[in-house]
Amino acid sequence: MYKIGKYSENYIHSGTGWKYYINNNDDIVKAANLKSLKPGDHLYWKFVDGY
């Protein structure tokens, strides 16, 4: 199980977990481990309810 701090997928209840954004783009379709970053990209993680 992967987590950031104490928060992991389904930590609060089913359907909660981490979502990532690159350059504030909400259209990420690849798993984080499959996505490549380019120089100057900014990576953001947010704990969400429903992803």
Side-chain angles (χ1 to χ4, degrees):
M1 178 179 298
Y2 297 101
K3 57 184 171 178
I4 298 174
K6 66 180 182 178
Y7 298 101
S8 61
E9 184 176 12
N10 301 317
Y11 177 77
I12 296 173
H13 58 78
S14 180
T16 58
W18 290 103
K19 186 171 182 180
Y20 76 99
Y21 304 86
I22 298 173
N23 302 323
N24 290 322
N25 184 351
D26 197 19
D27 297 328
I28 304 297
V29 294
K30 288 186 178 181
N33 65 327
L34 301 176
K35 186 68 179 167
S36 297
L37 296 175
K38 300 178 197 111
D41 280 346
H42 296 277
L43 175 66
Y44 303 92
W45 288 95
K46 182 177 180 181
F47 195 78
V48 295
D49 187 356
Y51 46 91

